[in-house]
Amino acid sequence: MAAPLGGNGAPHRPVLLGETINFLAPERGGLFVDCTVGTGGHSEAILQSSKLTRVIGIDLDAEALSHASKRLASFEERFYPVQANFRDIASVLHSFGDDEVRGVLVDLGVSSLQFDSPVRGFSFRFDAPLDMRMNQGEEVETAADLLLRLPEEEIARIIYEYGEERNSRRIAQWIVESREQGNPIKTTKDLADLVYRAARNRKTSIHPATRTFQALRIAVNGELEGLDKFVATATDLLQPDGRFVAISFHSLEDRIIKQELRRLSGYCQCPPRVPVCSCGTRRAVEMLTRRPVTPSTIETDQNPRARSAKLRACRKLI
Ligand SMILES: C[S@@+](CC[C@H](N)C(=O)[O-])C[C@H]1O[C@@H](n2cnc3c(N)ncnc32)[C@H](O)[C@@H]1O
């Protein structure tokens, strides 16, 4: 199946692009960090906005970085690709000797390049080894490794918490029974077929395996771990009036980002009914979005994958 193309023939369409650029205000020039450069859609728009703008583009995925580097080659030394985890943003910046950051963008989740790949194991549309690692160079366990190693309760917890799948216990039980009978889950098809058979209701608008696949992807890549600390570090690195924009695609990520930005905007963290505030929370940022910004219907008609996107933005105070 051919991958749907984004702008410029790129295999991923950047989500909430106009809104992201409005909040980042890159036309002012300076250094921007695109923490999830993917195929470079957002970075391209940032670089096009001013000749004085530079972008450090981080991604875990070597294939994505290679795409982005080709796409952004004409910007020459204004674009620096880095293969890293965005949680290490402080050390990445340190290695560049740069600490005057005008804006940080994080656009979470997988790109269409990954999701539409017939070999990376992110989607049950293709039969492939059940891999799901964003960084395939690392000694990270694949989804198949996790399903082989983890106890049943832990598999059930992952599928329930990260996939919000009500049938999690039954799916985990079937996975473990299958491996005990000498048939471990090795491929996307093995897993999709098992979840389909375990489903109590197959007449749903989405494939019964959708939530289980999402849950395993989050677990394999540790997508929620340290996200709160990352938000704090990224905003701390901004210069005054620097901008932070986060785009998330599911409620678990959005909740972490929302709570951390709330804390950074000075909301008291003391338990209710404490007469005098003692948490020492200080106001480090000002929110630019009172509620999350979501895509217009025009955007979701053109790019259904944008449907669940939520954007939150803030600016650094002095
Ligand atoms: C939704 S895509 C970004 C698309 C990009 N904005 C564009 O316009 O093409 C998310 C990207 O983030 C990368 N990614 C996810 N988690 C990461 C992490 N912790 N550190 C670095 N990159 C990560 C993925 O490999 C993927 O390429």
Side-chain angles (χ1 to χ4, degrees):
M1 189 189 300
L5 297 184
N8 294 341
H12 180 90
R13 213 184 262 269
V15 169
L16 290 163
L17 183 60
E19 294 83 347
T20 300
I21 297 302
N22 276 343
F23 287 119
L24 284 177
E27 65 286 352
R28 304 181 295 168
L31 179 65
F32 288 77
V33 185
D34 184 346
C35 290
T36 46
V37 69
T39 57
H42 287 103
S43 279
E44 182 175 65
I46 294 170
L47 286 160
Q48 279 166 345
S49 66
S50 159
K51 289 210 163 75
L52 298 176
T53 298
R54 293 173 296 133
V55 171
I56 295 177
I58 299 176
D59 207 293
L60 277 173
D61 189 326
E63 199 183 344
L65 280 172
S66 147
H67 249 273
S69 301
K70 281 188 202 128
R71 178 175 187 169
L72 304 173
S74 62
F75 296 101
E76 299 176 342
E77 72 284 1
R78 291 205 287 129
F79 175 68
Y80 321 96
V82 181
Q83 188 176 13
N85 192 314
F86 60 67
R87 288 164 181 82
D88 300 324
I89 182 173
S91 46
V92 170
L93 276 168
H94 188 68
S95 68
F96 279 89
D98 260 307
D99 52 5
E100 292 284 281
V101 184
R102 266 288 159 103
V104 175
L105 166 66
V106 66
D107 173 20
L108 294 161
V110 275
S111 73
S112 300
L113 183 71
Q114 295 161 326
F115 194 65
D116 293 327
S117 160
V119 294
R120 301 279 303 261
F122 286 103
S123 169
F124 46 76
R125 288 171 301 142
F126 313 100
D127 190 18
L130 193 64
D131 187 323
M132 298 197 186
R133 287 168 305 161
M134 289 180 186
N135 184 351
Q136 294 192 297
E138 230 175 32
E139 290 306 304
V140 175
E141 283 181 298
T142 65
D145 294 335
L146 286 186
L147 296 186
L148 192 60
R149 181 178 64 78
L150 293 177
E152 184 179 322
E153 308 74 64
E154 182 61 5
I155 296 175
R157 183 196 67 79
I158 288 172
I159 297 174
Y160 182 72
E161 274 184 26
Y162 300 161
E164 296 171 280
E165 166 63 65
R166 281 190 291 171
N167 215 11
S168 56
R169 288 218 182 123
R170 190 167 142 104
I171 294 169
Q173 187 192 350
W174 285 37
I175 289 171
V176 170
E177 273 174 16
S178 183
R179 85 184 179 203
E180 282 171 355
Q181 286 160 10
N183 299 314
I185 303 297
K186 289 188 179 160
T187 67
T188 50
K189 185 168 183 313
D190 291 342
L191 183 61
D193 287 354
L194 180 143
V195 178
Y196 187 79
R197 281 185 279 112
R200 293 182 201 278
N201 176 12
R202 295 177 189 147
K203 290 193 181 134
T204 47
S205 58
I206 56 170
H207 187 288
T210 306
R211 294 175 193 280
T212 302
F213 270 68
Q214 170 186 298
L216 280 176
R217 194 201 80 213
I218 291 173
V220 167
N221 297 292
E223 291 179 37
L224 303 177
E225 286 158 27
L227 194 53
D228 51 350
K229 282 206 187 84
F230 159 74
V231 173
T233 309
T235 50
D236 191 44
L237 290 165
L238 292 172
Q239 59 189 120
D241 200 31
R243 309 296 173 85
F244 174 76
V245 174
I247 304 172
S248 60
F249 291 85
H250 58 78
S251 55
L252 299 169
E253 288 169 342
D254 182 57
R255 195 175 314 145
I256 296 173
I257 292 165
K258 176 177 150 185
Q259 284 173 352
E260 191 54 21
L261 288 178
R262 226 172 116 82
R263 187 183 73 77
L264 292 163
S265 8
Y267 277 88
C268 175
Q269 304 293 303
C270 293
R273 297 203 200 90
V274 168
V276 181
C277 167
S278 60
C279 66
T281 303
R282 67 183 183 91
R283 196 163 179 236
V285 303
E286 176 190 36
M287 290 307 296
L288 299 173
T289 48
R290 256 168 49 84
R291 294 173 185 285
V293 176
T294 53
S296 64
T297 44
I298 298 177
E299 175 164 1
T300 52
D301 284 350
Q302 287 172 352
N303 180 15
R305 285 184 188 167
R307 247 183 342 236
S308 48
K310 284 187 176 159
L311 179 154
R312 296 185 189 267
C314 67
R315 82 180 185 92
K316 181 79 178 282
L317 295 170
I318 313 294

